[in-house]
Amino acid sequence: MKVLHLISGGETGGSRKHVITLLSKFPKDQVVLAVFQEGALAEEARKAGIRVELFLQSSRYDLSILKRLVAFIKSEKFDIIHTHGPRANLFGIYLHKKTKVKWLTTVHSDPSLDFIKSGVKGRVFTNLHLYAVKKMDYYFAVSERFKENLIKLGIERDKVQTVYNGIDFTEEKAEPLSLGDMGVNDTDFVMTMVARLHPIKGHDIVFNALKNINNPSVKLLLVGDGPIQKELEKMVQDLNLRNQVYFLGFRHDVDQLYASSHLGLLASHSESFPLALLEAANQRVPILTTDVGGVGELVSPKETGWIVPVKDTKAYEMAIRDALACYQDNQLSGMGEKLYDYASTTFSLENLYKTTKQVYFDLIDKN
């Protein structure tokens, strides 16, 4: 068996982590990662011992690499193409037609929302992406809810496999970082949000909730970069939250940041199953999340965290207030331990690997 994973290479969020951790479990001669640009993803994959092939584009509209990819797929005799993300999915239409190799995808986000706030061009690419998604041989859904969303798009139920995102859980917590240099005190209530700086991630909901709470001891660490960073920084300034919100950019020490925190946040309008929440669970940190994707399969409300409606600032505010009260009553650590116990047995990387491998073999056997 030989599988080519195809992804743009510019990802810095959950899809990057998903691909690297999954491929690292496979024997090195069974998987190859192809990217269209250098970046953190390719660098981390190489460090993990994954074979990475670069098909450099002069721009994202450069289609000259498609013929090279076809020749590569044929010469290396791949059995399966596994695409990740809109660009790879669109290219998959051509690659599948020219090679006849089995084609599957892991959809990491709602394909109808990937180009939100991109105007006319965004609507065109959304339609093209939805067309591509309907042309594949098989699909991974990272939650039962997302499986149902794919089926509503017209995809046959027996072509969709639910497979939970997974990580390698550790027996010990990471070493917490000292946050004093940022202006965070030991008595502050620290929340960490790991998410691309993108409209779909709902940072504005969190900022407005913080403004309404009006408590300078509540701090927010933002991990990630993205296209609306300047817009979000201006919003923080306009809301007078500069002493509470910290833009940390892309980081390699997320585990340590979570270990230094009291609450993990997610405020997305849409997700499949966020790996960031599993990383928080691994550090025994309770979670506050919007009701997206498969979060209900991870978080038990008031036992291991909070789930609130999407785009509901008031509900988000009240949940932060509730979490702060639990922190002051020394209840949060117990919630975090309970979350870890459940997540570490249900959402392991080993489960993800075994299910993915079996689907690959099943697809090959159908040839």
Tab-separated table of all heavy atoms in Angstrom, residues 17-18 142 164-170 254-255 258 273-285 287 294 297-299 339-340 342-349 352:
chain	number	residue	atom	x	y	z
A	17	LYS	N	-1.723	19.856	12.187
A	17	LYS	CA	-1.451	18.902	13.264
A	17	LYS	C	-2.010	17.530	12.926
A	17	LYS	O	-1.364	16.502	13.159
A	17	LYS	CB	-2.078	19.431	14.557
A	17	LYS	CG	-1.774	18.602	15.791
A	17	LYS	CD	-0.385	18.883	16.314
A	17	LYS	CE	-0.179	18.224	17.667
A	17	LYS	NZ	1.173	18.484	18.202
A	18	HIS	N	-3.218	17.506	12.375
A	18	HIS	CA	-3.869	16.240	12.023
A	18	HIS	C	-3.014	15.444	11.045
A	18	HIS	O	-2.759	14.250	11.254
A	18	HIS	CB	-5.243	16.538	11.406
A	18	HIS	CG	-5.969	15.333	10.908
A	18	HIS	ND1	-6.982	14.730	11.623
A	18	HIS	CD2	-5.840	14.616	9.766
A	18	HIS	CE1	-7.434	13.687	10.935
A	18	HIS	NE2	-6.763	13.607	9.809
A	142	VAL	N	-14.911	13.758	10.890
A	142	VAL	CA	-14.278	13.699	12.202
A	142	VAL	C	-15.282	13.852	13.349
A	142	VAL	O	-14.882	14.047	14.492
A	142	VAL	CB	-13.136	14.728	12.324
A	142	VAL	CG1	-12.006	14.366	11.394
A	142	VAL	CG2	-13.650	16.130	12.031
A	164	TYR	N	-12.582	9.950	14.642
A	164	TYR	CA	-12.269	11.076	15.516
A	164	TYR	C	-10.822	11.511	15.366
A	164	TYR	O	-9.920	10.680	15.221
A	164	TYR	CB	-12.521	10.709	16.983
A	164	TYR	CG	-13.959	10.435	17.307
A	164	TYR	CD1	-14.364	9.185	17.752
A	164	TYR	CD2	-14.918	11.433	17.165
A	164	TYR	CE1	-15.689	8.932	18.059
A	164	TYR	CE2	-16.246	11.182	17.462
A	164	TYR	CZ	-16.634	9.932	17.911
A	164	TYR	OH	-17.940	9.680	18.199
A	165	ASN	N	-10.609	12.814	15.383
A	165	ASN	CA	-9.244	13.320	15.495
A	165	ASN	C	-8.600	12.725	16.742
A	165	ASN	O	-9.290	12.417	17.719
A	165	ASN	CB	-9.236	14.842	15.608
A	165	ASN	CG	-9.284	15.519	14.252
A	165	ASN	OD1	-8.922	14.933	13.255
A	165	ASN	ND2	-9.737	16.754	14.221
A	166	GLY	N	-7.311	12.593	16.708
A	166	GLY	CA	-6.637	12.024	17.866
A	166	GLY	C	-5.266	12.623	18.081
A	166	GLY	O	-4.659	13.180	17.161
A	167	ILE	N	-4.781	12.517	19.285
A	167	ILE	CA	-3.417	12.925	19.623
A	167	ILE	C	-2.818	11.855	20.526
A	167	ILE	O	-3.529	10.986	21.056
A	167	ILE	CB	-3.369	14.299	20.339
A	167	ILE	CG1	-4.097	14.231	21.692
A	167	ILE	CG2	-3.944	15.393	19.476
A	167	ILE	CD1	-3.916	15.477	22.549
A	168	ASP	N	-1.529	11.899	20.700
A	168	ASP	CA	-0.863	11.036	21.675
A	168	ASP	C	-0.955	11.707	23.042
A	168	ASP	O	-0.298	12.733	23.289
A	168	ASP	CB	0.598	10.814	21.290
A	168	ASP	CG	0.760	9.730	20.242
A	168	ASP	OD1	-0.018	8.756	20.268
A	168	ASP	OD2	1.655	9.859	19.388
A	169	PHE	N	-1.787	11.172	23.896
A	169	PHE	CA	-1.936	11.747	25.235
A	169	PHE	C	-0.738	11.361	26.099
A	169	PHE	O	-0.136	10.293	25.933
A	169	PHE	CB	-3.227	11.255	25.878
A	169	PHE	CG	-4.464	11.905	25.321
A	169	PHE	CD1	-5.065	11.415	24.173
A	169	PHE	CD2	-5.017	13.021	25.927
A	169	PHE	CE1	-6.189	12.015	23.634
A	169	PHE	CE2	-6.144	13.627	25.401
A	169	PHE	CZ	-6.733	13.127	24.252
A	170	THR	N	-0.377	12.255	27.012
A	170	THR	CA	0.779	12.043	27.888
A	170	THR	C	0.308	11.811	29.317
A	170	THR	O	-0.732	12.324	29.741
A	170	THR	CB	1.716	13.259	27.850
A	170	THR	OG1	0.978	14.441	28.233
A	170	THR	CG2	2.265	13.465	26.443
A	254	VAL	N	2.419	24.993	22.572
A	254	VAL	CA	1.000	25.069	22.931
A	254	VAL	C	0.713	24.275	24.200
A	254	VAL	O	-0.069	24.709	25.053
A	254	VAL	CB	0.127	24.568	21.761
A	254	VAL	CG1	-1.322	24.404	22.191
A	254	VAL	CG2	0.209	25.537	20.589
A	255	ASP	N	1.334	23.100	24.342
A	255	ASP	CA	1.103	22.291	25.545
A	255	ASP	C	1.469	23.070	26.807
A	255	ASP	O	0.744	23.044	27.807
A	255	ASP	CB	1.923	21.004	25.482
A	255	ASP	CG	1.347	19.994	24.515
A	255	ASP	OD1	0.194	20.172	24.083
A	255	ASP	OD2	2.051	19.013	24.187
A	258	TYR	N	-1.156	25.817	27.456
A	258	TYR	CA	-2.352	25.246	28.078
A	258	TYR	C	-2.084	24.885	29.543
A	258	TYR	O	-2.932	25.092	30.416
A	258	TYR	CB	-2.799	24.000	27.322
A	258	TYR	CG	-3.733	24.258	26.160
A	258	TYR	CD1	-3.504	23.673	24.920
A	258	TYR	CD2	-4.864	25.061	26.310
A	258	TYR	CE1	-4.360	23.898	23.852
A	258	TYR	CE2	-5.716	25.293	25.244
A	258	TYR	CZ	-5.469	24.712	24.016
A	258	TYR	OH	-6.322	24.937	22.976
A	273	PHE	N	-13.897	18.671	14.123
A	273	PHE	CA	-13.543	18.274	15.490
A	273	PHE	C	-12.189	18.868	15.810
A	273	PHE	O	-11.166	18.398	15.327
A	273	PHE	CB	-13.514	16.754	15.639
A	273	PHE	CG	-13.462	16.310	17.066
A	273	PHE	CD1	-14.622	15.977	17.738
A	273	PHE	CD2	-12.261	16.274	17.743
A	273	PHE	CE1	-14.579	15.597	19.070
A	273	PHE	CE2	-12.199	15.902	19.072
A	273	PHE	CZ	-13.365	15.549	19.739
A	274	PRO	N	-12.149	19.927	16.609
A	274	PRO	CA	-10.914	20.700	16.794
A	274	PRO	C	-9.856	19.967	17.626
A	274	PRO	O	-10.093	19.598	18.777
A	274	PRO	CB	-11.393	21.956	17.536
A	274	PRO	CG	-12.887	21.943	17.419
A	274	PRO	CD	-13.287	20.514	17.314
A	275	LEU	N	-8.675	19.781	17.050
A	275	LEU	CA	-7.575	19.176	17.777
A	275	LEU	C	-7.131	20.030	18.957
A	275	LEU	O	-6.625	19.515	19.945
A	275	LEU	CB	-6.390	18.959	16.826
A	275	LEU	CG	-6.457	17.711	15.948
A	275	LEU	CD1	-5.365	17.748	14.899
A	275	LEU	CD2	-6.330	16.450	16.782
A	276	ALA	N	-7.337	21.341	18.852
A	276	ALA	CA	-6.929	22.234	19.944
A	276	ALA	C	-7.615	21.849	21.248
A	276	ALA	O	-7.025	21.985	22.338
A	276	ALA	CB	-7.254	23.678	19.587
A	277	LEU	N	-8.847	21.370	21.172
A	277	LEU	CA	-9.565	20.980	22.383
A	277	LEU	C	-8.963	19.713	22.996
A	277	LEU	O	-8.923	19.561	24.219
A	277	LEU	CB	-11.046	20.774	22.094
A	277	LEU	CG	-11.813	22.006	21.600
A	277	LEU	CD1	-13.314	21.727	21.583
A	277	LEU	CD2	-11.517	23.229	22.473
A	278	LEU	N	-8.493	18.801	22.155
A	278	LEU	CA	-7.820	17.609	22.676
A	278	LEU	C	-6.500	17.980	23.337
A	278	LEU	O	-6.117	17.392	24.351
A	278	LEU	CB	-7.576	16.602	21.557
A	278	LEU	CG	-8.818	15.975	20.913
A	278	LEU	CD1	-8.400	14.970	19.839
A	278	LEU	CD2	-9.704	15.305	21.955
A	279	GLU	N	-5.815	18.969	22.773
A	279	GLU	CA	-4.556	19.422	23.376
A	279	GLU	C	-4.812	20.055	24.740
A	279	GLU	O	-4.013	19.896	25.675
A	279	GLU	CB	-3.856	20.397	22.438
A	279	GLU	CG	-3.357	19.731	21.155
A	279	GLU	CD	-2.797	20.707	20.138
A	279	GLU	OE1	-3.310	21.839	20.055
A	279	GLU	OE2	-1.849	20.337	19.425
A	280	ALA	N	-5.935	20.770	24.869
A	280	ALA	CA	-6.307	21.312	26.183
A	280	ALA	C	-6.630	20.181	27.144
A	280	ALA	O	-6.199	20.186	28.308
A	280	ALA	CB	-7.502	22.250	26.033
A	281	ALA	N	-7.391	19.189	26.673
A	281	ALA	CA	-7.755	18.049	27.517
A	281	ALA	C	-6.507	17.311	28.007
A	281	ALA	O	-6.457	16.856	29.160
A	281	ALA	CB	-8.665	17.103	26.741
A	282	ASN	N	-5.499	17.211	27.140
A	282	ASN	CA	-4.268	16.522	27.523
A	282	ASN	C	-3.564	17.218	28.675
A	282	ASN	O	-2.851	16.578	29.455
A	282	ASN	CB	-3.329	16.435	26.316
A	282	ASN	CG	-2.126	15.560	26.581
A	282	ASN	OD1	-2.211	14.546	27.268
A	282	ASN	ND2	-0.986	15.941	26.035
A	283	GLN	N	-3.773	18.529	28.812
A	283	GLN	CA	-3.165	19.295	29.906
A	283	GLN	C	-4.136	19.487	31.080
A	283	GLN	O	-3.924	20.331	31.941
A	283	GLN	CB	-2.673	20.644	29.386
A	283	GLN	CG	-1.618	20.535	28.300
A	283	GLN	CD	-0.429	19.689	28.728
A	283	GLN	OE1	0.023	19.769	29.869
A	283	GLN	NE2	0.070	18.862	27.811
A	284	ARG	N	-5.216	18.709	31.065
A	284	ARG	CA	-6.207	18.718	32.170
A	284	ARG	C	-6.871	20.084	32.317
A	284	ARG	O	-7.151	20.552	33.432
A	284	ARG	CB	-5.582	18.329	33.493
A	284	ARG	CG	-5.206	16.860	33.648
A	284	ARG	CD	-4.009	16.460	32.845
A	284	ARG	NE	-3.470	15.165	33.272
A	284	ARG	CZ	-2.543	14.486	32.601
A	284	ARG	NH1	-2.061	14.990	31.463
A	284	ARG	NH2	-2.109	13.329	33.056
A	285	VAL	N	-7.135	20.736	31.184
A	285	VAL	CA	-7.746	22.068	31.188
A	285	VAL	C	-9.191	21.953	30.695
A	285	VAL	O	-9.425	21.488	29.578
A	285	VAL	CB	-6.963	23.034	30.267
A	285	VAL	CG1	-7.630	24.408	30.243
A	285	VAL	CG2	-5.519	23.158	30.739
A	287	ILE	N	-12.874	23.045	29.124
A	287	ILE	CA	-13.092	23.687	27.827
A	287	ILE	C	-14.394	24.468	27.811
A	287	ILE	O	-15.414	24.002	28.316
A	287	ILE	CB	-13.141	22.610	26.721
A	287	ILE	CG1	-11.768	21.939	26.549
A	287	ILE	CG2	-13.608	23.198	25.398
A	287	ILE	CD1	-11.838	20.631	25.795
A	294	GLY	N	-18.124	18.019	16.463
A	294	GLY	CA	-18.296	16.934	17.415
A	294	GLY	C	-17.947	17.276	18.842
A	294	GLY	O	-17.647	16.381	19.639
A	297	GLU	N	-19.380	15.382	21.665
A	297	GLU	CA	-18.869	14.033	21.893
A	297	GLU	C	-17.636	14.048	22.789
A	297	GLU	O	-17.144	12.984	23.171
A	297	GLU	CB	-18.562	13.373	20.545
A	297	GLU	CG	-19.817	13.195	19.691
A	297	GLU	CD	-19.517	12.986	18.215
A	297	GLU	OE1	-18.682	12.129	17.904
A	297	GLU	OE2	-20.122	13.689	17.375
A	298	LEU	N	-17.140	15.231	23.115
A	298	LEU	CA	-15.982	15.375	23.997
A	298	LEU	C	-16.343	16.017	25.326
A	298	LEU	O	-15.920	15.543	26.390
A	298	LEU	CB	-14.906	16.219	23.292
A	298	LEU	CG	-13.706	16.650	24.138
A	298	LEU	CD1	-12.896	15.429	24.573
A	298	LEU	CD2	-12.815	17.627	23.344
A	299	VAL	N	-17.116	17.092	25.287
A	299	VAL	CA	-17.372	17.903	26.484
A	299	VAL	C	-18.722	17.539	27.107
A	299	VAL	O	-19.749	17.515	26.422
A	299	VAL	CB	-17.356	19.404	26.132
A	299	VAL	CG1	-17.646	20.244	27.373
A	299	VAL	CG2	-16.023	19.796	25.517
A	339	LEU	N	-11.978	15.454	32.339
A	339	LEU	CA	-11.911	15.590	30.880
A	339	LEU	C	-10.757	14.763	30.329
A	339	LEU	O	-10.904	14.059	29.313
A	339	LEU	CB	-11.733	17.060	30.500
A	339	LEU	CG	-11.549	17.369	29.014
A	339	LEU	CD1	-12.784	16.974	28.214
A	339	LEU	CD2	-11.249	18.856	28.799
A	340	TYR	N	-9.609	14.826	30.971
A	340	TYR	CA	-8.444	14.056	30.523
A	340	TYR	C	-8.725	12.557	30.538
A	340	TYR	O	-8.404	11.835	29.580
A	340	TYR	CB	-7.236	14.355	31.409
A	340	TYR	CG	-6.064	13.432	31.155
A	340	TYR	CD1	-5.190	13.663	30.100
A	340	TYR	CD2	-5.852	12.314	31.961
A	340	TYR	CE1	-4.125	12.808	29.851
A	340	TYR	CE2	-4.786	11.448	31.714
A	340	TYR	CZ	-3.939	11.697	30.666
A	340	TYR	OH	-2.898	10.839	30.417
A	342	TYR	N	-11.472	10.924	30.209
A	342	TYR	CA	-12.367	10.516	29.129
A	342	TYR	C	-11.691	10.659	27.765
A	342	TYR	O	-11.711	9.729	26.939
A	342	TYR	CB	-13.648	11.354	29.155
A	342	TYR	CG	-14.555	11.091	27.977
A	342	TYR	CD1	-15.220	9.882	27.846
A	342	TYR	CD2	-14.728	12.046	26.977
A	342	TYR	CE1	-16.035	9.627	26.749
A	342	TYR	CE2	-15.542	11.806	25.883
A	342	TYR	CZ	-16.193	10.584	25.784
A	342	TYR	OH	-16.991	10.337	24.696
A	343	ALA	N	-11.078	11.801	27.521
A	343	ALA	CA	-10.501	12.074	26.197
A	343	ALA	C	-9.356	11.127	25.870
A	343	ALA	O	-9.231	10.668	24.730
A	343	ALA	CB	-10.021	13.521	26.128
A	344	SER	N	-8.532	10.801	26.847
A	344	SER	CA	-7.345	9.986	26.585
A	344	SER	C	-7.690	8.556	26.200
A	344	SER	O	-6.871	7.872	25.563
A	344	SER	CB	-6.419	9.993	27.806
A	344	SER	OG	-7.086	9.459	28.947
A	345	THR	N	-8.878	8.081	26.549
A	345	THR	CA	-9.292	6.730	26.174
A	345	THR	C	-10.154	6.705	24.920
A	345	THR	O	-10.294	5.659	24.286
A	345	THR	CB	-10.079	6.062	27.320
A	345	THR	OG1	-11.203	6.884	27.673
A	345	THR	CG2	-9.199	5.884	28.543
A	346	THR	N	-10.734	7.845	24.541
A	346	THR	CA	-11.686	7.886	23.423
A	346	THR	C	-11.089	8.487	22.157
A	346	THR	O	-11.469	8.103	21.049
A	346	THR	CB	-12.935	8.692	23.827
A	346	THR	OG1	-13.441	8.198	25.067
A	346	THR	CG2	-14.026	8.590	22.762
A	347	PHE	N	-10.167	9.430	22.304
A	347	PHE	CA	-9.679	10.192	21.148
A	347	PHE	C	-8.164	10.040	20.975
A	347	PHE	O	-7.460	11.015	20.749
A	347	PHE	CB	-10.045	11.671	21.314
A	347	PHE	CG	-11.517	11.905	21.448
A	347	PHE	CD1	-12.102	12.040	22.690
A	347	PHE	CD2	-12.325	11.967	20.327
A	347	PHE	CE1	-13.467	12.244	22.827
A	347	PHE	CE2	-13.692	12.171	20.445
A	347	PHE	CZ	-14.261	12.305	21.695
A	348	SER	N	-7.699	8.817	21.042
A	348	SER	CA	-6.265	8.581	20.909
A	348	SER	C	-5.850	8.563	19.446
A	348	SER	O	-6.634	8.226	18.551
A	348	SER	CB	-5.883	7.246	21.565
A	348	SER	OG	-6.373	6.158	20.800
A	349	LEU	N	-4.612	8.897	19.187
A	349	LEU	CA	-4.063	8.856	17.838
A	349	LEU	C	-4.028	7.429	17.315
A	349	LEU	O	-4.188	7.191	16.111
A	349	LEU	CB	-2.661	9.467	17.841
A	349	LEU	CG	-1.939	9.549	16.493
A	349	LEU	CD1	-2.776	10.325	15.477
A	349	LEU	CD2	-0.574	10.198	16.673
A	352	LEU	N	-7.258	6.671	15.601
A	352	LEU	CA	-7.316	7.345	14.308
A	352	LEU	C	-6.504	6.577	13.269
A	352	LEU	O	-6.958	6.357	12.135
A	352	LEU	CB	-6.781	8.778	14.439
A	352	LEU	CG	-6.586	9.569	13.140
A	352	LEU	CD1	-7.913	9.782	12.425
A	352	LEU	CD2	-5.918	10.917	13.430
